Amino acid sequence: MNLGTRKVLDRSFTSLGIGSIVVMALALLVVITPIVYNGLGAVFFQGTIEHRKLLQDEFHRGDKAQLEREIEESGRYRMEAYRMLGEFEAELEGMDPVKARQYRMQLGPVKTALQGLLGPIPGEEPGILTRFRYGQTRWEKAEEKLHELLYESKWDYSDPNVMAKEYFVRRAESFEGTSLLPLFSYVEQNAEKMLLPRFTAYWGFLFDKSVDAHIFGGIWPEIQGTFFLAIGAMLFAFPLGVVAAIYFTEYAKDNLFTSMLRSANSTLAGVPSIVFGLFGLAFFINTLKVSESKSVLAGALTLAIMILPTIIRAAEEAILSVPKTYKEASLGLGSTKWNTIVTVILPAALPGIITGGVISLGRAAGETAPIIFTAAVSVGSAIGLADVLSSPTPALSWNIYNLASEHEMASEIRHVQYGMVLALVSIVLLLNLSAVLLRARITKKLKG
Amino acid sequence: MSGEVQKESSRSQAFVVSESRRKMQKVARTAGETVLLLIASFVAIVVLFIFYFVAVDAVPYFQLRGFTEFFTSTSWYPAGEPGEFGALAIIYGTGMVTLGSALLAVPMGIAAAVCLSDILPFSVRQYAKPVIEMLAAIPSVAFGFFALVILAPLLQTSGGPMLMWVWWILAAPFLLLSVIVGSDLLTTKIEDPLRRKRYATMLQALFGLLALLVLYVVGSRLNAMEILTGTNALNVSIILSFMALPTIVSVAEDSLQSVGRELREGSYALGATRAETLVKTVIPAASSGILAAVILGIMRSLGETMVVWMASGNSSHIPEPWYNYLEAVRTLTATIAGDMGEADQVTGSARYHVLFAMGLLLLVISFISNLVSERIVVRQRKILSGQ
Amino acid sequence: MMKRVLMLLIAALLLGGADVSAAGTGIVIDGSTTVGPIAKSFAAYYMKKTGVAVTVSESGSGNGAKSLINGACDIAAMSRDMKPQEIAAARKMGVNPVQHVAALDAIAIIVNPANPVRGLTRAQIAGIYTGRYTNWQQVGGPNARIVVIQRESNSGTQESFKTLVTGKASQITRLAETQASNGAVKNRVSTTRTSIGFIGMGFVDSSVRPIPVDGVVPTVESVRSGTYPLWRKLYFYTNGVPVGQLKEFLSLSATPDGMRIISELGYISR
């Protein structure tokens, strides 16, 4: 090969490597960006007056006097729309019955859309489910509902041999010449005044309970459950892991038994997470009966087993990285081995051990498969510390799955799902970040 | 003052330890070490327990139904009367997405590892590392959510054009390179430099045209393709490769770093370019470590549950044709996760135990691959230290 | 600083839980995802009215039965009858399962709104699901491959569907994609133009189109009158005849408010 070609090959090899790293960075970006962007939308959005009403009714938050003023203000515009509706219904009474029936059929969807936009129509009994008692709480959803009110979605089924295309017809056209006609343009022009959208920072998303199966409200029970599970797992795994690491680094002799133990450790690290779930179900729940069914305890134990190898490895590495001279100096001063470990080696290895622990905490918080059969439920109130032994808990990871693919209104509450994903990802990444910072800080402190 | 004196005396006494006290100390030490040993063995006990408890619930299945059906039939009708438990298609689906993710992640992972260890300057490497760590830290359910809510609809609405772009971006540079190298290799025998150059140019033009044609034809066919379902093997493979990459990169990089400087310097001294040094010297020297990295990465894809459960489509059949990554598949992990809730656990039916049989299969595969990768790493360490 | 934040966080965690758990012993419901919306809404309604904590876990009919038998839940929500084996297992554990009808549910056959197919007969649906028809053209639609969506092999909805449409013995085509829940099936059908699926009527919304079966559209009236052929009962199971708050909770489905909730969710009160 001539030199030129070799150089080209060399360059393309370099660019292949750099390209791969760029792809990884892009992958991270592509996954994270929509999650962050849409997730923030769960907290920051254009909240309508309906949102403020809901907060007042459910959580007794917000400025009551101002809310009443707003209700009055928006009510004026709403009344006008309801008046038009009432007028039309009166007109229907006096109409030719056949025609009236036709109009009534078309009126149904209009009323439903109006109800969806503004909440229950006065004079009609409000729904019992919270989702039917309020209009749209988010302005961008309200705009969708407004579109639904103004346009009828139709599908062109004329040719049964091709897939139909969707097209929209103005609903106003079907009410030409009736008293309902002005309603459409009126609502279109005054929707903002009826709903009073305002930039809202709904921090309650993180600290409220959910209302009506996550259609409203926040995700506190899930966040709390995640913390319980992760911290519970840590309580079991951390001490065990550190002690095991001490044994491996300081006491284990280089023999077959030790290498078997090490193999066991790496085997445990490689076990698929769903198998931990199976084991948790078969052992902790069905055999040991730590609880009668799913519980935080069973889930935490299962997670503890899962993160144990990571903790052992991190602790081992940290202990091994302590300079030999420390240990020799301590032993030379007449200290016993155990004393040396406790007073010299462990403090010096602490940054590394804690870093490993915090990263494992993140892993425990993010895992789903081990808790499916052992701890997670879909809807529940937050549980107290007293209940962790026997009660299952909602948890972020499981509820993301549940809301995204099992919830009956999965596609309408995407913002909640994104919010949950963002919360989970932030918890995990923040834990990782704090591990890094912690390590840097303790190292600095130890250096003096 | 007096306290200090007392302390002093007790410390000096410590050097003259009585026989009985020494014995006591010894007993205490042995006891302590035993406790430590027990705690350290806890991991081994857990592993044994996992095997035992999964196997105990898996064995009844094989007692009830034997081995043949599970491994050779593709009829997965656990709820039928009587049920059919052919897991072949599910095992195949598992293999398919694992292989798919490996095909994407292994070349990229190795290239990235080489780049990190040998090519990038330290200042850039500092920023690349956190990216990899973050990618590794993102919970699998977040990836699954992304696959289900963003990637799957995207594949359905504009999968064809997307595939075309990927094809162009990947294949164009590769083909270009092959054209240059190919025409160079074919003309090396020609002595006269002027003629050689002329022939090389001609060949380059010819091959270039051919390559362009291939690019265009395949590209336009991909562009016209309609993806019926976005939750398919391809989707899952892509996401799983994201998840396997960090493992592959970090383990392979460790292995590359452990190859000594002398080897690299020797190769440079012989006049090799950096690429030649890396490909012909460094990578072969680190090959066993890289192989271990690949195995660990594949294990990560094989054992992943949430992504495949949410985004693989869960249809238990072998795609037609067998390599069709655009069809929905089903994997072992997703089957366990999805079926367990509905299986009648109390009556101890085959339907419940078959899920444990699947768990056992996963466990055995992961156990074997772990052993293999461990042996490989140990061997490499020995060879390298032997040099 | 960091320590203080951490302490605050932990304090918040502990306190946040404490006030809820003070509510006393609650009701635990486990089981079918189809009955889930009813259970969840009843739970919210009941919690608001009485302050009794109700947890709902949607882990499938089979799991619900198991939980009831193990005494892990008070109410098992099931979208199918309890099987004789399950009842036998329950008796062995000293549990006496008592059945309560929560609501009626029609199984809607849904297609993407883009699909022009007018309606299907039960035989045609059975043909699609057993793999006899693989193209919409064969059942009066456009020339496109049918993407068949089914439920998890052992879900109650799946069993009812098989009993009602294909017959228990015949097997659903292997090409069928499997989804874990009603919501997931709806989601898949709404995003896939050539697909067909079946879900509980309560889940149907404008993103999918329920198609007439044997010429009858699934509505509350057509189910009540018995003209729509695909429907089944949804159950709550308890251990023994319920008393106290359990009884009060279960009788919700007969109160006017409970019946409204059921119909607002798209089910049919009994």
Side-chain angles (χ1 to χ4, degrees):
Chain A
M1 255 190 272
N2 68 37
L3 201 60
T5 316
R6 281 173 65 194
K7 263 190 191 153
V8 169
L9 275 178
D10 187 39
R11 290 230 179 93
S12 36
F13 188 79
T14 307
S15 46
L16 175 69
I18 293 174
S20 302
I21 289 179
V22 169
V23 166
M24 275 166 75
L26 277 181
L28 187 68
L29 212 64
V30 164
V31 173
I32 289 284
T33 314
I35 288 175
V36 171
Y37 179 78
N38 294 310
L40 287 177
V43 178
F44 306 102
F45 54 93
Q46 292 286 322
T48 65
I49 185 172
E50 297 295 315
H51 174 70
R52 301 191 275 280
K53 271 193 224 165
L54 183 97
L55 279 192
Q56 184 61 250
D57 294 351
E58 292 286 334
F59 304 108
H60 310 290
R61 270 208 308 266
D63 185 344
K64 213 166 183 178
Q66 204 204 339
L67 180 68
E68 263 156 28
R69 266 202 310 281
E70 283 183 349
I71 290 177
E72 201 183 324
E73 190 191 326
S74 67
R76 256 179 294 155
Y77 292 97
R78 291 178 178 209
M79 277 328 286
E80 182 61 20
Y82 295 141
R83 189 191 57 76
M84 291 176 188
L85 199 66
E87 214 166 83
F88 178 63
E89 275 176 336
E91 187 187 334
L92 279 179
E93 295 297 321
M95 217 186 270
D96 164 45
V98 180
K99 226 175 167 191
R101 239 190 78 179
Q102 217 173 11
Y103 275 129
R104 278 218 177 88
M105 260 173 57
Q106 280 163 333
L107 186 63
V110 172
K111 271 179 143 178
T112 315
L114 197 65
Q115 245 167 19
L117 184 67
L118 300 176
I121 296 173
E124 292 188 11
E125 207 177 320
I128 289 172
L129 295 177
T130 316
R131 68 191 83 162
F132 295 119
R133 294 227 307 272
Y134 295 92
Q136 291 304 313
T137 54
R138 299 166 66 91
W139 178 242
E140 87 269 5
K141 294 264 173 202
E143 281 178 321
E144 282 170 26
K145 274 280 168 219
L146 184 63
H147 186 268
E148 219 170 277
L149 174 71
L150 296 176
Y151 298 92
E152 189 180 355
S153 149
K154 284 201 169 171
W155 296 81
D156 174 18
Y157 295 128
S158 57
D159 183 357
N161 296 318
V162 289
M163 280 294 164
K165 281 214 168 65
E166 192 176 17
Y167 64 97
F168 292 98
V169 181
R170 288 191 78 92
R171 282 192 203 273
E173 282 171 19
S174 14
F175 293 96
E176 208 72 63
T178 68
S179 57
L180 196 68
L181 188 64
L183 176 87
F184 296 99
S185 54
Y186 180 79
V187 175
E188 187 174 13
Q189 276 158 19
N190 295 305
E192 245 175 277
K193 287 174 187 142
M194 291 175 181
L195 285 165
L196 302 173
R198 191 165 75 204
F199 178 76
T200 308
Y202 177 43
W203 293 108
F205 181 73
L206 295 175
F207 302 111
D208 285 342
K209 63 180 181 13
S210 86
V211 177
D212 196 3
H214 279 295
I215 292 169
F216 306 109
I219 56 171
W220 178 247
E222 283 77 22
I223 294 181
Q224 196 193 20
T226 298
F227 271 106
F228 277 153
L229 285 167
I231 291 170
M234 219 48 202
L235 286 181
F236 292 112
F238 192 71
L240 273 179
V242 174
V243 173
I246 292 172
Y247 176 82
F248 279 129
T249 48
E250 299 295 328
Y251 289 92
K253 297 182 185 70
D254 198 11
N255 57 20
L256 187 70
F257 182 67
T258 308
S259 76
M260 262 169 58
L261 286 188
R262 278 179 197 284
S263 294
N265 197 28
S266 61
T267 304
L268 195 61
V271 169
S273 51
I274 188 79
V275 176
F276 283 112
L278 280 180
F279 172 69
L281 172 71
F283 183 63
F284 293 125
I285 295 181
N286 287 351
T287 308
L288 282 190
K289 298 204 192 314
V290 294
S291 55
E292 281 169 9
S293 178
K294 296 174 183 178
S295 69
V296 174
L297 179 64
L301 285 168
T302 311
L303 286 171
I305 287 179
M306 191 193 69
I307 57 174
L308 192 57
T310 327
I311 293 180
I312 293 180
R313 259 187 212 166
E316 253 189 278
E317 247 168 59
I319 293 173
L320 283 177
S321 69
V322 174
K324 267 228 161 64
T325 47
Y326 283 30
K327 187 172 148 192
E328 280 156 9
S330 170
L331 288 174
L333 285 171
S335 175
T336 60
K337 193 168 180 181
W338 180 246
N339 216 356
T340 306
I341 291 171
V342 174
T343 56
V344 178
I345 297 182
L346 277 189
L350 201 62
I353 295 178
I354 288 183
T355 310
V358 173
I359 289 174
S360 313
L361 193 65
R363 177 136 185 255
E367 267 299 339
T368 318
I371 60 169
I372 300 174
F373 315 133
T374 55
V377 291
S378 46
V379 159
S381 35
I383 58 168
L385 253 193
D387 298 326
V388 294
L389 294 183
S390 57
S391 299
T393 177
L396 281 174
S397 55
W398 162 254
N399 279 66
I400 290 168
Y401 165 78
N402 184 58
L403 287 195
S405 55
E406 296 201 339
H407 197 277
E408 69 264 28
M409 293 173 81
S411 48
E412 268 121 283
I413 50 165
R414 288 278 181 240
H415 58 279
V416 180
Q417 297 157 15
Y418 273 113
M420 269 192 193
V421 177
L422 181 61
L424 182 63
V425 169
S426 331
I427 288 174
V428 172
L429 290 186
L430 277 182
L431 280 175
N432 273 275
L433 188 72
S434 60
V436 173
L437 292 181
L438 211 65
R439 180 169 45 192
R441 202 161 135 170
I442 300 180
T443 319
K444 219 194 251 167
K445 217 182 238 171
L446 282 179
K447 275 184 188 158
Chain B
M1 267 298 184
S2 65
E4 212 163 279
V5 172
Q6 241 180 345
K7 227 181 187 177
E8 194 75 6
S9 69
S10 75
R11 195 177 293 168
S12 60
Q13 264 179 7
F15 288 104
V16 207
V17 185
S18 66
E19 192 64 19
S20 64
R21 217 169 141 188
R22 188 178 290 170
K23 243 184 200 161
M24 280 258 293
Q25 272 184 351
K26 205 174 171 190
V27 170
R29 200 185 307 138
T30 342
E33 280 185 32
T34 319
V35 171
L36 278 181
L37 176 68
L38 281 180
I39 291 177
S41 325
F42 181 73
V43 177
I45 296 168
V46 165
V47 170
L48 288 180
F49 268 43
I50 290 180
F51 266 97
Y52 175 75
F53 277 97
V54 173
V56 154
D57 269 327
V59 167
Y61 169 76
F62 293 114
Q63 279 173 345
L64 282 169
R65 315 277 307 189
F67 287 91
T68 354
E69 185 192 23
F70 186 78
F71 289 106
T72 58
S73 158
T74 56
S75 296
W76 174 254
Y77 297 110
E81 314 258 338
E84 288 184 42
F85 303 95
L88 183 63
I90 296 171
I91 297 170
Y92 184 86
T94 308
M96 199 163 153
V97 296
T98 309
L99 183 73
S101 71
L103 283 180
L104 294 172
V106 167
M108 260 186 356
I110 294 176
V114 169
C115 192
L116 275 180
S117 83
D118 278 79
I119 294 172
L120 286 182
F122 183 73
S123 56
V124 183
R125 213 184 303 169
Q126 266 181 316
Y127 295 102
K129 274 262 164 178
V131 168
I132 297 168
E133 273 165 23
M134 271 171 81
L135 204 57
I138 291 178
S140 57
V141 71
F143 276 115
F145 181 76
F146 175 82
L148 177 72
V149 175
I150 297 172
L151 188 57
L154 203 66
L155 276 178
Q156 259 173 225
T157 52
S158 49
M162 264 167 64
L163 285 179
M164 183 190 72
W165 280 108
V166 171
W167 163 253
W168 272 94
I169 290 168
L170 288 183
F174 179 75
L175 283 176
L176 188 73
L177 208 63
S178 326
V179 167
I180 294 174
V181 174
S183 36
D184 184 5
L185 283 180
L186 282 176
T187 52
T188 39
K189 291 256 170 71
I190 301 165
E191 299 275 309
D192 177 23
L194 216 66
R195 265 183 62 201
R196 186 164 69 198
K197 208 167 177 191
R198 202 183 307 141
Y199 272 108
T201 323
M202 270 166 56
L203 276 177
Q204 274 173 9
L206 187 71
F207 286 155
L209 270 175
L210 259 174
L212 214 63
L213 197 71
V214 170
L215 272 177
Y216 180 76
V217 169
V218 175
S220 55
R221 281 192 65 178
L222 284 176
N223 193 18
M225 202 150 60
E226 200 188 347
I227 299 179
L228 275 180
T229 159
T231 49
N232 56 27
L234 178 71
N235 181 336
V236 173
S237 296
I238 292 171
I239 301 295
L240 286 182
S241 74
F242 289 174
M243 301 177 75
L245 263 175
T247 314
I248 298 180
V249 173
S250 55
V251 179
E253 199 213 336
D254 279 348
S255 165
L256 285 165
Q257 297 248 320
S258 70
V259 175
R261 281 203 72 78
E262 314 84 51
L263 226 56
R264 294 183 169 90
E265 275 157 13
S267 173
Y268 287 135
L270 289 172
T273 63
R274 184 158 67 184
E276 285 160 355
T277 305
L278 287 170
V279 172
K280 291 184 182 155
T281 317
V282 179
I283 293 180
S287 63
S288 47
I290 293 175
L291 189 63
V294 170
I295 294 177
L296 288 177
I298 289 178
M299 285 312 302
R300 183 99 172 78
S301 315
L302 182 77
E304 176 48 43
T305 308
M306 295 316 288
V307 172
V308 287
W309 189 20
M310 291 169 91
S312 72
N314 291 325
S315 103
S316 61
H317 75 117
I318 294 178
E320 286 161 28
W322 57 271
Y323 51 82
N324 189 351
Y325 268 87
L326 299 178
E327 276 190 24
V329 294
R330 191 184 179 95
T331 69
L332 291 169
T333 48
T335 307
I336 298 173
D339 274 13
M340 185 56 83
E342 303 277 354
D344 37 5
Q345 305 178 13
V346 264
T347 55
S349 62
R351 192 204 287 195
Y352 170 69
H353 292 303
V354 73
L355 299 177
F356 278 87
M358 290 178 164
L360 187 64
L361 183 64
L362 281 172
L363 199 55
V364 169
I365 296 173
S366 74
F367 178 67
I368 292 173
S369 0
N370 235 309
L371 276 190
V372 170
S373 76
E374 210 172 85
R375 290 278 151 261
I376 290 171
V377 170
V378 169
R379 212 184 58 192
Q380 190 201 16
R381 209 170 287 154
K382 266 184 194 154
I383 292 172
L384 282 177
S385 61
Q387 274 175 348
Chain C
M1 174 63 197
M2 220 144 137
K3 238 182 227 165
R4 211 170 298 157
V5 171
L6 212 71
M7 296 276 273
L8 275 176
L9 204 75
I10 291 170
L13 271 172
L14 300 185
L15 291 176
D19 60 31
V20 180
S21 68
T25 50
I27 299 175
V28 181
I29 307 174
D30 195 355
S32 160
T33 54
T34 313
V35 197
I38 299 180
K40 283 190 283 189
S41 301
F42 275 16
Y45 177 81
Y46 192 68
M47 255 148 88
K48 207 173 210 175
K49 220 173 98 179
T50 62
V52 176
V54 186
T55 33
V56 180
S57 137
E58 298 163 278
S59 51
S61 296
N63 218 13
K66 179 203 170 199
S67 295
L68 185 72
I69 294 167
N70 290 352
C73 70
D74 305 308
I75 299 172
M78 296 182 70
S79 56
R80 58 168 168 82
D81 284 306
M82 212 178 244
K83 298 192 168 160
Q85 298 106 300
E86 284 168 335
I87 292 174
R91 292 267 152 77
K92 228 193 300 176
M93 302 282 287
V95 172
N96 175 31
V98 175
Q99 189 187 61
H100 312 265
V101 177
L104 308 185
D105 181 33
I107 295 179
I109 308 292
I110 52 167
V111 295
N112 190 282
N115 196 326
V117 74
R118 284 277 157 75
L120 295 172
T121 63
R122 245 199 286 187
Q124 279 174 323
I125 298 167
I128 288 172
Y129 271 90
T130 50
R132 198 163 65 243
Y133 305 125
T134 54
N135 195 305
W136 282 109
Q137 226 163 16
Q138 292 163 303
V139 291
N143 178 17
R145 213 187 88 189
I146 304 177
V147 176
V148 181
I149 317 275
Q150 64 166 341
R151 284 291 306 283
E152 209 53 76
S153 49
N154 25 27
S155 94
T157 311
Q158 174 92 353
E159 268 188 52
S160 306
F161 174 80
K162 279 183 75 173
T163 320
L164 295 169
V165 180
T166 60
K168 259 204 152 105
S170 57
Q171 283 168 342
I172 287 178
T173 169
R174 273 177 228 153
L175 287 167
E177 260 183 52
T178 306
Q179 296 291 341
S181 63
N182 282 305
V185 172
K186 184 183 75 183
N187 219 6
R188 285 291 291 126
V189 172
S190 69
T191 53
T192 310
R193 287 151 59 95
T194 60
S195 58
I196 183 168
F198 55 87
I199 58 177
M201 201 178 86
F203 290 85
V204 173
D205 62 18
S206 59
S207 66
V208 293
R209 185 164 72 94
I211 49 172
V213 177
D214 293 338
V216 186
V217 185
T219 59
V220 175
E221 293 74 34
S222 65
V223 174
R224 277 235 176 90
S225 68
T227 46
Y228 185 74
L230 310 180
W231 63 274
R232 43 111 183 227
K233 290 175 182 166
L234 302 178
Y235 304 107
F236 285 137
Y237 278 89
T238 53
N239 175 15
V241 179
V243 287
Q245 59 185 30
L246 264 187
K247 185 178 173 192
E248 199 184 344
F249 182 87
L250 286 167
S251 60
L252 271 184
S253 58
T255 63
D257 277 2
M259 278 156 79
R260 277 208 66 185
I261 291 175
I262 289 172
S263 69
E264 278 174 10
L265 288 166
Y267 298 92
I268 299 145
S269 53
R270 103 189 104 106

